[in-house]
Amino acid sequence: GSEDGADLETAVRALLASPHVERIEQLSGDRGGVCARLWCRAAHSSCRSEQRQVTMKRTTLAECAVSLLDLINTKHGAKAECVVAAEAARAAEATEAGPSAPANAFAAMAA
């Protein structure tokens, strides 16, 4: 419903505000979900992104996005090497290209 759309927009904005999240994508498939590509992947090349799929407990994309942000904050937010790698990657990207708005495409998919 429209309420989930508003919740999803709020959750997407919160994810994109994370200093570790480069961009997010909606997962397709039977269950669907949310995937975040991480700025801090240089600190751990085996973990380039994190994702949450719809489950019995997470029944909406908004719930997936909120859970995903919690996961990223727990796994990456407190690690100094992730913070440093994310800052370096964002700085490098900023010098190469101007700002982009991935939230708009994601929000449009959810609408």
Side-chain angles (χ1 to χ4, degrees):
S2 61
E3 186 175 319
D4 183 49
D7 291 345
L8 179 58
E9 186 173 335
T10 300
V12 164
R13 286 176 195 236
L15 266 172
L16 289 171
S18 166
H20 299 287
V21 176
E22 178 182 359
R23 66 176 184 261
I24 58 172
E25 299 169 358
Q26 185 173 347
L27 298 173
S28 57
D30 292 341
R31 295 190 312 184
V34 181
C35 176
R37 185 161 170 92
L38 302 174
W39 283 115
C40 57
R41 60 188 173 272
H44 41 73
S45 59
S46 63
C47 181
R48 300 171 64 83
S49 63
E50 296 286 359
Q51 67 182 38
R52 283 289 194 233
Q53 289 185 292
V54 173
T55 65
M56 296 289 279
K57 291 188 178 190
R58 288 187 303 267
T59 60
T60 67
L61 289 176
E63 289 172 347
C64 289
V66 169
S67 178
L68 180 58
L69 182 58
D70 288 343
L71 174 69
I72 290 168
N73 287 340
T74 301
K75 278 182 75 173
H76 304 275
K79 292 186 177 176
E81 65 270 20
C82 286
V83 174
V84 170
E87 287 174 359
R90 282 196 318 275
E93 176 79 10
T95 60
E96 290 177 18
S100 61
N104 295 343
F106 191 83
M109 286 190 286

